[in-house]
Amino acid sequence: MSRKDTDTQTTHSKLMATSAQTLSTIIDVLSKKYKFDSDKAVALLAKEELLPKKMIPKESNNDSPWASKKAEELASTHGIVAEGPGSGKNGKWTLADVEKAMTKPAKSKMLVSPNALNLANEKGLSLVGKMGSGKDGRILLKDVQSLLDDEDLDEELNISPRALQEAHESGIKNEDLATLHGSGKDGRILLEDVKKYITESENSDDDE
């Protein structure tokens, strides 16, 4: 065996004898001083079979979107799919990313009949957050027609948007609003007018 081969074998033996922790520290220190990629250095040393078994990168981990086994287990338990990059290294999903995804409300499918949906789309009416008169709140054609009628009445009413919102949230019908004469310009119904109407209605109910 030549002297060169003997030196190489000796170097190889020393590297293998060095603890994984110590060797990892050495590579990190050298990468900072000489500005090279420590991951690439580890990959090269692994290829040359100069690394302890503990330091050899596991190729299977590269394909996993999870940063840790705990993150993967929690995601599996709650049916969380890693959509998009996570906050971990190389875009992997951390335990915190999975917990955040768990707090997001599940997207529920809107219950609406095909005819009702077609009419709503045709008229540019949003059905988000609406409940219909059908089974389980299914929105039917007559519900969309009713909503469109309400919109027409909304346009006819001389009322501020905030007042209209308050009225709808309080269950006041457009027919009742049409009987009001607001305190705004040209009889425009303002928020205070709606609140006054609500108070008077409540007092009237108490008297009964």
Side-chain angles (χ1 to χ4, degrees):
M1 183 182 291
S2 67
R3 182 181 179 82
K4 183 177 180 182
D5 291 338
T6 303
D7 290 343
T8 301
Q9 187 174 9
T10 301
T11 302
H12 181 237
S13 299
K14 286 182 179 179
L15 273 172
M16 295 299 286
T18 305
S19 72
Q21 184 63 44
T22 302
L23 185 55
S24 178
T25 303
I26 291 172
I27 292 173
D28 286 340
V29 170
L30 289 174
S31 68
K32 288 177 183 177
K33 182 171 179 64
Y34 296 104
K35 298 179 180 178
F36 62 81
D37 191 324
S38 60
D39 291 337
K40 288 183 178 180
V42 169
L44 176 62
L45 292 172
K47 186 178 180 181
E48 297 294 329
E49 298 182 356
L50 294 173
L51 289 181
K53 189 175 181 180
K54 288 182 179 179
M55 286 189 67
I56 297 175
K58 294 180 181 179
E59 293 181 5
S60 60
N61 287 345
N62 294 336
D63 298 329
S64 174
W66 313 109
S68 67
K69 190 68 177 174
K70 283 186 176 181
E72 184 177 3
E73 289 173 354
L74 185 62
S76 177
T77 302
H78 294 275
I80 303 298
V81 179
E83 296 179 347
S87 60
K89 187 176 181 181
N90 297 326
K92 291 185 179 291
W93 276 53
T94 64
L95 193 59
D97 293 326
V98 177
E99 290 173 345
K100 185 178 179 181
M102 287 168 57
T103 62
K104 292 181 179 179
K107 295 179 180 178
S108 56
K109 187 176 180 181
M110 186 182 294
L111 292 173
V112 56
S113 72
N115 288 339
L117 184 59
N118 288 338
L119 180 59
N121 290 337
E122 182 185 326
K123 299 295 184 181
L125 175 67
S126 172
L127 298 178
V128 176
K130 306 293 185 185
M131 289 288 288
S133 58
K135 186 180 179 181
D136 299 325
R138 183 179 176 85
I139 301 172
L140 306 177
L141 182 61
K142 64 179 181 180
D143 298 318
V144 174
Q145 290 170 337
S146 178
L147 288 169
L148 290 171
D149 289 341
D150 285 344
E151 281 202 341
D152 291 339
L153 283 174
D154 289 347
E155 292 176 4
E156 292 173 8
L157 288 171
N158 185 13
I159 185 171
S160 71
R162 183 66 187 86
L164 182 62
Q165 180 183 352
E166 181 71 23
H168 284 174
E169 289 175 356
S170 302
I172 302 174
K173 297 180 179 179
N174 285 343
E175 300 90 81
D176 296 326
L177 289 174
T179 64
L180 291 181
H181 184 78
S183 58
K185 185 178 180 182
D186 297 326
R188 185 174 178 79
I189 303 170
L190 306 178
L191 178 60
E192 60 188 48
D193 299 320
V194 173
K195 288 184 175 180
K196 183 180 178 181
Y197 178 84
I198 294 170
T199 302
E200 290 175 350
S201 298
E202 289 174 350
N203 290 338
S204 175
D205 292 339
D206 292 340
D207 292 341
E208 294 177 1

